[in-house]
Amino acid sequence: MKQLTWAFTKHVYGKCDVITTPTNVLAKELEAHGFNHVRVLTNSIDYELFSRAKAKKRKKSFDTIRLLYFGRVSFEKRIDVALEALFLLRKKHPHVELSIIGSGPAEESLKKQVRELGIEKNVHFPGAFCGKALVERVKQHNILIAPSPMETQGLYVLEGMAAGLAVVGCNARAIPVALGKNERGLLFDANSPEDCAAKIEKLMEHPALRKKLSLAGKKWVRQFSKKTIAKEWLALYHRAISQ
């Protein structure tokens, strides 16, 4: 099926003058399958919204470390790994919390896992939000978890970085592009709750490191603002037309 899918994809997109993809990782994958005229052009985020919005007020003290995943709640996102990591962390840090903002087909399965692990008091499913309402809730948290090994760019990771969150992400596909070599976040081994928990704990116990990574991430992610990416798209269209 993979061979058939690639053959069909090449048949369709082979007719294009330019093929865009959001990361170098995917560009190399496309070129390896015989695609030509591939250009890396990232998707944009609303940097101004995520970087400037204020956190929504809440009753609990911000001394509690609050972990976050937000986006599509689907199986390939491997949110189950984040829950396993939380279970391990809770043994030493009983007050750590995880919010899963969003909706999707894996939601009921994850709620069942939460019950089986006995971490109902530590996990919250507030639902899906967008725009300012989403950003207000994102900024209530300290650390963003990106557990999926399938991300092609991970826009929620970029948005979380713009909001000033430190990131712990899976060392696979596009996530290392965003986090660098642990320069803008900490990477953990794919599908390893133990390593994920260890990296989260490192940020929990070293607030100076957490702040350093969040500042570096917020500065780096500015390049993905809507205005900047729109100019790059316009330039690409002009080049394609002139060929």
Side-chain angles (χ1 to χ4, degrees):
M1 286 301 297
K2 285 185 179 180
Q3 291 177 342
L4 287 173
T5 301
W6 276 115
F8 179 75
T9 304
K10 189 174 180 180
H11 171 72
V12 174
Y13 290 99
K15 300 174 183 179
C16 299
D17 295 311
V18 181
I19 301 171
T20 66
T21 186
T23 63
N24 283 312
V25 174
L26 290 182
K28 291 177 181 178
E29 189 172 337
L30 288 169
E31 289 168 351
H33 283 87
F35 289 83
N36 298 314
H37 312 299
V38 178
R39 299 290 183 272
V40 176
L41 186 55
T42 66
N43 297 308
S44 65
I45 61 170
D46 195 334
Y47 179 83
E48 287 72 21
L49 174 64
F50 277 87
S51 63
R52 296 176 183 175
K54 302 297 183 182
K56 186 177 178 63
K57 291 183 180 180
R58 56 188 176 83
K59 296 180 181 179
K60 291 188 177 182
S61 169
F62 204 68
D63 292 337
T64 299
I65 292 294
R66 303 195 81 206
L67 312 177
L68 173 68
Y69 167 86
F70 70 98
R72 191 169 69 256
V73 182
S74 50
F75 293 98
E76 76 277 5
K77 294 298 185 179
R78 295 309 311 270
I79 304 169
D80 59 301
V81 173
L83 292 176
E84 293 283 355
L86 178 68
F87 173 75
L88 297 173
L89 283 168
R90 200 187 64 148
K91 297 175 182 178
K92 184 177 178 181
H93 305 278
H95 299 297
V96 64
E97 298 179 1
L98 169 64
S99 295
I100 300 172
I101 297 178
S103 61
E107 189 170 347
E108 289 306 315
S109 175
L110 294 172
K111 288 179 178 178
K112 180 181 178 183
Q113 182 184 2
V114 167
R115 292 192 296 270
E116 291 174 347
L117 292 173
I119 53 176
E120 295 97 326
K121 292 183 179 180
N122 302 80
V123 182
H124 312 286
F125 291 86
F129 301 90
C130 62
K132 187 177 179 180
L134 170 62
V135 181
E136 288 175 343
R137 286 165 175 80
V138 167
K139 296 189 80 129
Q140 293 178 351
H141 299 79
N142 312 92
I143 300 170
L144 176 69
I145 307 177
S148 174
M150 301 298 292
E151 297 295 350
T152 55
Q153 185 177 12
L155 287 178
Y156 76 97
V157 176
L158 305 184
E159 291 168 341
M161 293 167 77
L165 275 64
V167 182
V168 171
C170 178
N171 190 14
R173 299 202 86 175
I175 300 301
V177 176
L179 303 188
K181 296 179 179 180
N182 297 315
E183 301 152 325
R184 298 178 290 273
L186 298 184
L187 296 165
F188 68 89
D189 296 336
N191 306 320
S192 173
E194 294 80 11
D195 196 34
C196 181
K199 297 301 166 50
I200 293 171
E201 186 173 39
K202 185 174 182 177
L203 290 184
M204 290 173 63
E205 295 181 346
H206 297 86
L209 174 62
R210 193 167 72 235
K211 183 176 181 180
K212 177 183 176 182
L213 295 175
S214 67
L215 290 174
K218 190 170 186 176
K219 181 179 179 181
W220 178 81
V221 83
R222 188 189 297 270
Q223 64 186 298
F224 302 106
S225 70
K226 292 190 293 185
K227 290 182 179 180
T228 299
I229 301 303
K231 289 178 181 178
E232 294 185 16
W233 273 106
L234 186 60
L236 178 64
Y237 276 112
H238 280 305
R239 288 197 299 270
I241 291 169
S242 63
Q243 289 179 354

